[in-house]
Amino acid sequence: MDTAAASIFDRLTPELFSLLGSQNARHYWAVLVRLMDEMWSDSAMSPGEEASKAAVVRAIESFLSADDPWDVEQDTPVSVRAHNILNRLLATGWLTATRSGAVDKITVRPLIAQFYTVLCDFAVQEPEFLGSKVRSIFLNLRAVEAGDYDQYAEAAKQAKHCMAHIVNTGVRVQELMAALVKHTSAREFVRGFFVDYVEKVFIADYSELRTKDHPLQHRTAIVTLTMQLHHNEAAREAIVAWYQAKVTSGSRENAELRYERDTQLLLRLRDVDQQLQRVDEVIRDANHRAMVFFDYQLRAPKQLDRLIEKALRASEHLTPDHIALPAVPMGRLASEWGLAKPRQKPRPAMETAVDVRKATPREMAMEALRRRMAENRMVRPIQLARYVGRHLVQTYVVTSDDLTISSINDLCCYQRLLLIASRSECPPSKRASDPQLLMLPRLRVEFEPEALTRNAYMEHRRFVITREGR
């Protein structure tokens, strides 16, 4: 089975995920994080080292006593709850129990610790600075060029990570703005915009991405080195041999596939400017939406009812000729003419009868003449085939000098052949689907070099019509 398609359950048990999908998943995860930091971290034991069961239970008890994640009143003693939590972690496979003589030991397997680290890294989204990674890709390819072929796979892995990070930056902005729009109060929106967006995404990720950590700075050199290694037979064979020996367990076919896949990952850096342009559009849209929201909050009246009530109370103490009052006679503050006019429904459009008039004989004759003119200038495949066949009765090759023009339709067919001859100089990939070339499937129309045809209507390069399949 391919590595990418291998089941995750070949390495991890399904029960491991039941803890994260349970009703109290957040509480168990909080206890697990504290336990790992206390017992198996950089400042404590390494994964695989054993600790006594009593020490683990005491650690869980201290966590529950100091900051209980359940945060509710519990009738069960803390010691019993600590044992229940430990049994739950053992049952789901996060911890492993062993026995050394009469002492019960608890440990965490290195594989589980590695999976735990991946989850923690995923949960904590910290800004990544791609400038160093791009330089690392460039230096790795330089090392491959010098003969250190094991750096090729690492360079491809870092290139994939860089492209994924650029795409994820835009997705993070879209998800963040969608969550901010749901905030009902301006205070929550402002806090989320300046803390979660500006500080954590815009300044930490985007600004560095567009300045000194710009991934375009070494793109040309990386793509050039990749293509040079790909076309250098000796270097390509050495890299594939390394894949065959170190990655694919001796399979030459899989080694070739892995090499081609990693090469395409490196060449994806050619499209990094398009991804950056998409991120720019997302950033501009997010900034525009935020500015529109702030403008609306600044202009929208707050507590409009209280403002109206306050204005009415103040108007009672004003004299009739006060400048703050509208110029209304008899001291009235409102009148009929001061109100908006009622809306009037638009009148439905009345249909008018179409005046039918019989055409005169002259008009009918002119219409028939126009149709005849259009028909004579129409070039269909059958008409073109008849025109060419008229000149290929007893020969397989005919030039434009031999073609006769006796009607308007003949002249249009002649012009179409001239167009087909010009299309024959297109690349083969485009000729296969050209509708002009498909009008004469068994004929080949090509220009002759440095030869001209002159007739009564035009002067052009001479073309030759050849019947194929003779």
Side-chain angles (χ1 to χ4, degrees), residues 137-154:
I137 296 173
F138 175 68
L139 294 177
N140 285 336
L141 290 179
R142 292 289 297 272
V144 174
E145 187 181 25
D148 194 3
Y149 301 111
D150 58 340
Q151 301 296 323
Y152 195 82
E154 180 63 25

Side-chain angles (χ1 to χ4, degrees), residues 44-58:
M45 295 183 295
S46 301
E49 295 188 39
E50 298 177 345
S52 63
K53 181 178 180 181
V56 176
V57 172
R58 285 195 302 270

Side-chain angles (χ1 to χ4, degrees), residues 237-339:
E237 181 63 28
I239 297 173
V240 173
W242 181 87
Y243 277 103
Q244 183 178 359
K246 302 295 184 180
V247 180
T248 61
S249 302
S251 175
R252 176 72 181 187
E253 181 179 0
N254 291 337
E256 292 278 357
L257 294 177
R258 286 294 298 270
Y259 169 74
E260 294 295 337
R261 186 196 68 176
D262 290 348
T263 301
Q264 294 302 319
L265 291 177
L266 289 168
L267 294 179
R268 280 191 63 193
L269 291 177
R270 293 180 296 189
D271 303 328
V272 68
D273 50 349
Q274 300 178 5
Q275 299 295 340
L276 288 175
Q277 184 177 0
R278 295 175 184 174
V279 175
D280 291 341
E281 294 175 357
V282 173
I283 292 292
R284 283 194 296 267
D285 180 68
N287 294 338
H288 176 71
R289 294 177 66 179
M291 293 302 104
V292 169
F293 180 84
F294 294 148
D295 183 72
Y296 171 77
Q297 291 295 329
L298 292 176
R299 294 176 181 270
K302 305 295 190 299
Q303 301 176 351
L304 187 59
D305 295 338
R306 298 178 66 182
L307 293 176
I308 294 176
E309 183 181 356
K310 184 178 180 180
L312 291 176
R313 288 199 305 266
S315 64
E316 296 177 355
H317 304 285
L318 301 178
T319 59
D321 58 347
H322 197 275
I323 192 174
L325 297 178
V328 180
M330 300 177 63
R332 293 178 298 168
L333 299 179
S335 61
E336 295 180 359
W337 59 267
L339 300 176

Side-chain angles (χ1 to χ4, degrees), residues 53-349:
K53 181 178 180 181
V56 176
V57 172
R58 285 195 302 270
I60 298 177
E61 290 178 356
S62 63
F63 301 152
L64 296 177
S65 301
D67 186 14
D68 192 347
W70 274 263
D71 198 21
V72 293
E73 294 293 336
Q74 298 282 350
D75 298 333
T76 309
V78 176
S79 59
V80 177
R81 293 178 56 202
H83 279 85
N84 293 337
I85 293 174
L86 177 59
N87 292 334
R88 176 68 169 162
L89 295 175
L90 291 172
T92 53
W94 285 96
L95 299 179
T96 303
T98 59
R99 191 174 184 84
S100 178
V103 180
D104 293 329
K105 298 288 186 178
I106 303 295
T107 187
V108 57
R109 293 188 297 152
L111 181 63
I112 303 299
Q114 181 184 1
F115 180 62
Y116 167 81
T117 303
V118 172
L119 293 180
C120 291
D121 293 340
F122 177 80
V124 180
Q125 294 183 350
E126 296 180 351
E128 298 187 23
F129 304 101
L130 298 184
S132 59
K133 294 185 180 297
V134 175
R135 288 190 293 271
S136 177
I137 296 173
F138 175 68
L139 294 177
N140 285 336
L141 290 179
R142 292 289 297 272
V144 174
E145 187 181 25
D148 194 3
Y149 301 111
D150 58 340
Q151 301 296 323
Y152 195 82
E154 180 63 25
K157 181 179 179 181
Q158 293 180 356
K160 178 181 179 181
H161 182 79
C162 289
M163 294 296 294
H165 178 72
I166 296 174
V167 175
N168 292 339
T169 300
V171 176
R172 285 181 59 193
V173 173
Q174 291 177 340
E175 293 177 349
L176 180 59
M177 294 306 298
L180 290 179
V181 170
K182 298 179 181 179
H183 291 171
T184 56
S185 65
R187 178 181 300 178
E188 294 178 352
F189 184 91
V190 171
R191 181 183 181 278
F193 180 79
F194 285 100
V195 175
D196 296 333
Y197 171 70
V198 175
E199 293 184 6
K200 296 182 179 179
V201 177
F202 188 84
I203 296 178
D205 284 349
Y206 182 72
S207 63
E208 294 290 337
L209 192 67
R210 301 299 295 175
T211 54
K212 63 181 181 181
D213 278 341
H214 202 295
L216 292 178
Q217 57 182 336
H218 295 297
R219 180 189 63 168
T220 303
I222 292 174
V223 173
T224 302
L225 282 175
T226 304
M227 296 303 297
Q228 290 177 355
L229 293 172
H230 184 71
H231 294 294
N232 188 336
E233 293 295 335
R236 185 180 186 278
E237 181 63 28
I239 297 173
V240 173
W242 181 87
Y243 277 103
Q244 183 178 359
K246 302 295 184 180
V247 180
T248 61
S249 302
S251 175
R252 176 72 181 187
E253 181 179 0
N254 291 337
E256 292 278 357
L257 294 177
R258 286 294 298 270
Y259 169 74
E260 294 295 337
R261 186 196 68 176
D262 290 348
T263 301
Q264 294 302 319
L265 291 177
L266 289 168
L267 294 179
R268 280 191 63 193
L269 291 177
R270 293 180 296 189
D271 303 328
V272 68
D273 50 349
Q274 300 178 5
Q275 299 295 340
L276 288 175
Q277 184 177 0
R278 295 175 184 174
V279 175
D280 291 341
E281 294 175 357
V282 173
I283 292 292
R284 283 194 296 267
D285 180 68
N287 294 338
H288 176 71
R289 294 177 66 179
M291 293 302 104
V292 169
F293 180 84
F294 294 148
D295 183 72
Y296 171 77
Q297 291 295 329
L298 292 176
R299 294 176 181 270
K302 305 295 190 299
Q303 301 176 351
L304 187 59
D305 295 338
R306 298 178 66 182
L307 293 176
I308 294 176
E309 183 181 356
K310 184 178 180 180
L312 291 176
R313 288 199 305 266
S315 64
E316 296 177 355
H317 304 285
L318 301 178
T319 59
D321 58 347
H322 197 275
I323 192 174
L325 297 178
V328 180
M330 300 177 63
R332 293 178 298 168
L333 299 179
S335 61
E336 295 180 359
W337 59 267
L339 300 176
K341 295 182 179 180
R343 295 182 180 178
Q344 295 181 357
K345 295 182 178 180
R347 295 181 180 180

